[in-house]
């Protein structure tokens, strides 16, 4: 199994391609009251430079690449599929195969076509059919070059945002009712109203990065199942899974119940919808300490990443073990990484994380692969280009790639681990 282990890095279309004009976040970035720190612009021009990037991966000894297809390029208007964009992704897939890189294709990584948002976004039941139709189209056209498919990236993200909002509201002394639309503070409502207008006069822009109602949480699962099932009818060779963002939840004091609730919210309640998948996409960046009242802040003395998370690569092993004790599916680590400007720290992070993966493999846990986040420094959504997760630095003026030491170390570290 270790010989076929998929080792590589991950990106997401919107964060690296550039000029995704038809995507919802393009509108969100350009609002006067935008919550985005800066605009994505040309990003790191991966749309035009994918060949160079894939060849670099091969040079570094990687054998897999997780990337996403931008729905808004493929289906810029409802039911109208774009031939040129489809052919572009065919070329990307072909380039992977020519370089002996196994593609792991994500169908949805946070960004959606603008028309989806105009139609009620991720809170409208129609999303299930819309997503299914798009996935069917993609695999009908490109499925001959695909095997591993992630339907939806971090399908629990909208639900996680509810928790973040709730604790934010609590800090402002506001109460939030579950199941109804969030009533945000006025400053934030201004942005919401502007977004609604920009999408053609809708009440609120329900993008994938806005908090959801319980109905919205369920719709994501229904969209996943519908897409998975229809793609299987096109080709039963596909290996299909969904990805979730998971924390290594650690109990401090008397918090077993609270930690249980958090794990249920983040992972367990999704089990019925993913048990029939072919693999599980596990994404982890850090641990969360939980006390009786909920999440605790990172202790002062702990080392933090640029994101403010605790630098804690050991979290990955703990989460893999927990997931595998509750879900009987092969696992692909579809994201794991660290935002830092100190590449030595990234190397240490990778060493720690991969030794954990290796211990899990040795214990018989079926892990198919590890994709480091991220291949390139890129557009970190609302935080713009300020956070550097990449194995490769990019000079955005010239779009020159400068691989960091960690880029070449990733495969070396894994191989050393194998020899042990
Ligand atoms: C997302 C990526 C993001 C990364 C680092 C994950 O939640 O899938 O899009 O850039 O974490 O924050």
């Amino acid at each position: 199994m270790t010989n076929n282990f998929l080792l590589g890095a991950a990106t997401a279309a919107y964060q690296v391609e550039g000029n995704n004009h038809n995507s919802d976040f393009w509108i969100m970035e350009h609002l006067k009251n935008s919550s985005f720190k800066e605009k994505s612009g040309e990003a790191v021009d991966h749309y035009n430079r994918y060949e160079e990037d894939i060849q670099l991966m091969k040079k570094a000894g990687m054998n897999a690449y997780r990337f996403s297809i931008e729905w808004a390029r493929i289906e810029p208007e409802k039911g109208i599929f774009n031939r040129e964009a489809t052919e572009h992704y065919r070329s990307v897939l072909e380039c992977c195969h020519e370089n002996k890189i196994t593609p792991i294709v994500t169908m949805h990584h946070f960004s959606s076509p603008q028309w989806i948002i105009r139609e009620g976004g991720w809170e409208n039941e129609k999303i299930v059919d819309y997503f299914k139709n798009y996935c069917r189209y993609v695999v009908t056209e490109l499925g001959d070059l695909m095997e591993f498919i992630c339907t939806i990236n971090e399908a629990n993200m909208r639900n996680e945002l509810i928790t973040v909002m709730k604790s934010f509201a609590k800090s402002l002394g506001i109460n939030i009712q579950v199941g109804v639309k969030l009533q945000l503070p006025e400053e934030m409502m201004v942005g919401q109203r502007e977004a609604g207008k920009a999408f053609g006069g809708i009440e609120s822009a329900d993008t994938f990065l806005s908090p959801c109602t319980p109905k919205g949480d369920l719709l994501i699962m229904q969209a996943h199942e519908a897409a998975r099932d229809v793609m299987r009818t096109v080709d039963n060779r596909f290996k299909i899974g969904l990805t979730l963002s998971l924390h290594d939840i650690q109990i401090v004091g008397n918090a077993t119940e609270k930690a249980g609730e958090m794990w249920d919210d983040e992972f367990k309640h999704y089990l019925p919808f993913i048990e029939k998948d072919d693999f599980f996409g596990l994404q982890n960046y850090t641990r969360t300490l939980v006390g009786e009242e909920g999440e605790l802040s990172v202790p002062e003395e702990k080392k933090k990443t640029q994101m403010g998370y605790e630098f804690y690569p050991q979290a990955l092993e703990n989460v893999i073990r927990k997931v595998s004790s509750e879900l009987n599916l092969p696992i692909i680590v579809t994201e794991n990484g660290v935002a830092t400007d100190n590449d030595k720290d990234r190397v240490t992070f990778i060493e720690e994380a991969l030794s954990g993966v290796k211990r899990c493999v040795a214990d018989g846990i079926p892990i198919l692969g590890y994709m480091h986040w991220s291949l390139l420094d890129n557009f970190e959504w609302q935080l713009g280009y300020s956070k550097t997760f990449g194995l490769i630095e990019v000079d955005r003026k010239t779009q020159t790639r400068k691989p960091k030491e960690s880029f070449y170390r990733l495969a070396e570290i894994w191989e050393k681990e194998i020899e042990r």
Side-chain angles (χ1 to χ4, degrees):
M1 186 192 110
T2 7
N3 284 343
N4 302 326
F5 193 82
L6 299 164
L7 186 77
T11 61
Y14 197 84
Q15 294 177 270
V16 293
E17 285 181 348
N19 294 317
N20 274 311
H21 300 148
N22 292 317
S23 303
D24 50 358
F25 293 122
W26 193 265
I27 289 192
M28 299 300 277
E29 283 173 21
H30 287 79
L31 298 176
K32 198 164 126 248
N33 297 288
S34 177
S35 57
F36 285 71
K37 258 185 149 174
E38 59 187 311
K39 299 182 177 72
S40 58
E42 285 191 355
V44 289
D45 198 27
H46 184 64
Y47 196 79
N48 297 307
R49 292 169 198 256
Y50 66 88
E51 248 180 304
E52 177 185 352
D53 295 336
I54 292 169
Q55 282 161 3
L56 275 172
M57 292 179 79
K58 183 188 180 190
K59 221 168 127 195
M62 300 181 191
N63 65 8
Y65 176 34
R66 174 177 176 239
F67 65 92
S68 72
I69 290 184
E70 189 70 9
W71 184 358
R73 284 190 189 270
I74 295 284
E75 193 181 1
E77 289 303 331
K78 183 158 74 173
I80 300 178
F81 295 96
N82 186 290
R83 180 51 41 205
E84 203 184 314
T86 310
E87 286 314 312
H88 165 78
Y89 290 110
R90 171 164 287 282
S91 307
V92 177
L93 287 161
E94 277 168 357
C95 182
C96 287
H97 290 290
E98 279 156 19
N99 286 284
K100 302 214 170 358
I101 301 269
T102 302
I104 301 176
V105 180
T106 304
M107 306 302 287
H108 184 271
H109 193 126
F110 293 170
S111 45
S112 312
Q114 288 163 10
W115 65 266
I116 285 284
I117 309 306
R118 285 199 298 269
E119 296 230 356
W122 287 86
E123 290 291 330
N124 176 358
E125 298 84 38
K126 287 192 201 148
I127 192 70
V128 177
D129 272 343
Y130 291 155
F131 184 62
K132 180 178 91 176
N133 293 342
Y134 150 70
C135 289
R136 179 177 32 218
Y137 169 82
V138 171
V139 295
T140 305
E141 294 292 324
L142 306 174
D144 55 320
L145 297 173
M146 290 160 66
E147 181 183 2
F148 293 96
I149 302 172
C150 305
T151 53
I152 298 174
N153 178 69
E154 297 193 341
N156 55 348
M157 187 45 82
R158 302 195 78 226
N159 197 40
E160 259 183 32
L161 288 166
I162 283 279
T163 317
V164 174
M165 286 295 193
K166 271 197 216 153
S167 61
F168 176 65
K170 203 169 150 198
S171 70
L172 298 174
I174 305 167
N175 239 335
I176 283 181
Q177 259 178 285
V178 177
V180 295
K181 279 258 154 221
L182 291 178
Q183 189 54 45
L184 301 168
E186 184 50 28
E187 318 84 83
M188 292 171 88
M189 287 309 291
V190 174
Q192 283 288 321
R193 281 195 287 267
E194 198 195 338
K197 246 198 209 154
F199 279 103
I202 52 174
E203 203 189 310
S204 75
D206 285 303
T207 71
F208 205 83
L209 292 185
S210 49
C212 65
T213 62
K215 176 188 148 202
D217 192 35
L218 180 65
L219 285 177
I220 295 173
M221 290 301 122
Q222 292 171 341
H224 161 69
E225 287 191 306
R228 178 196 62 202
D229 295 348
V230 81
M231 289 194 287
R232 279 180 177 158
T233 65
V234 176
D235 195 336
N236 61 12
R237 196 180 42 81
F238 296 143
K239 299 195 173 53
I240 306 172
L242 156 135
T243 92
L244 293 177
S245 152
L246 300 177
H247 296 86
D248 172 16
I249 298 173
Q250 297 189 6
I251 298 168
V252 178
N254 201 4
T256 313
E257 201 178 313
K258 191 74 208 166
E261 275 170 29
M262 284 172 77
W263 184 242
D264 187 65
D265 216 34
E266 193 165 290
F267 177 68
K268 269 187 123 163
H269 80 281
Y270 295 115
L271 285 176
F273 307 98
I274 60 179
E275 275 162 346
K276 293 200 199 100
D277 292 0
D278 302 298
F279 71 89
F280 174 67
L282 187 156
Q283 312 203 161
N284 165 262
Y285 287 87
T286 190
R287 71 171 167 180
T288 302
L289 299 176
V290 182
E292 232 169 307
E293 295 290 310
E295 186 174 341
L296 304 171
S297 42
V298 179
E300 274 293 300
E301 69 285 5
K302 297 291 181 198
K303 182 169 174 154
K304 295 188 196 65
T305 73
Q306 289 173 337
M307 298 292 282
Y309 308 153
E310 184 180 346
F311 182 95
Y312 194 76
Q314 301 90 323
L316 180 61
E317 177 177 2
N318 297 340
V319 175
I320 293 176
R321 290 188 186 279
K322 203 155 167 198
V323 163
S324 74
S325 71
E326 291 171 3
L327 175 67
N328 188 20
L329 281 183
I331 291 169
I332 300 180
V333 177
T334 38
E335 280 183 34
N336 172 250
V338 57
T340 176
D341 54 11
N342 180 347
D343 196 49
K344 297 234 172 326
D345 281 349
R346 192 179 336 273
V347 172
T348 309
F349 189 96
I350 292 172
E351 281 170 348
E352 291 282 340
L354 287 185
S355 0
V357 172
K358 181 68 180 142
R359 282 190 291 274
C360 293
V361 172
D363 287 345
I365 299 177
I367 306 176
L368 305 179
Y370 172 94
M371 298 301 117
H372 191 79
W373 185 270
S374 177
L375 178 63
L376 302 147
D377 284 342
N378 63 45
F379 183 69
E380 180 59 22
W381 307 108
Q382 278 94 343
L383 301 173
Y385 292 97
S386 61
K387 310 294 169 210
T388 47
F389 278 94
L391 296 165
I392 300 178
E393 184 190 332
V394 182
D395 173 347
R396 292 193 54 248
K397 284 200 198 84
T398 58
Q399 298 291 5
T400 311
R401 272 59 177 150
K402 297 186 198 156
K404 303 177 191 176
E405 190 203 330
S406 53
F407 178 61
Y408 292 107
R409 295 281 288 126
L410 181 77
E412 277 171 27
I413 293 168
W414 177 253
E415 254 131 55
K416 202 169 93 208
E417 283 297 319
I418 287 176
E419 280 163 20
R420 250 184 228 167

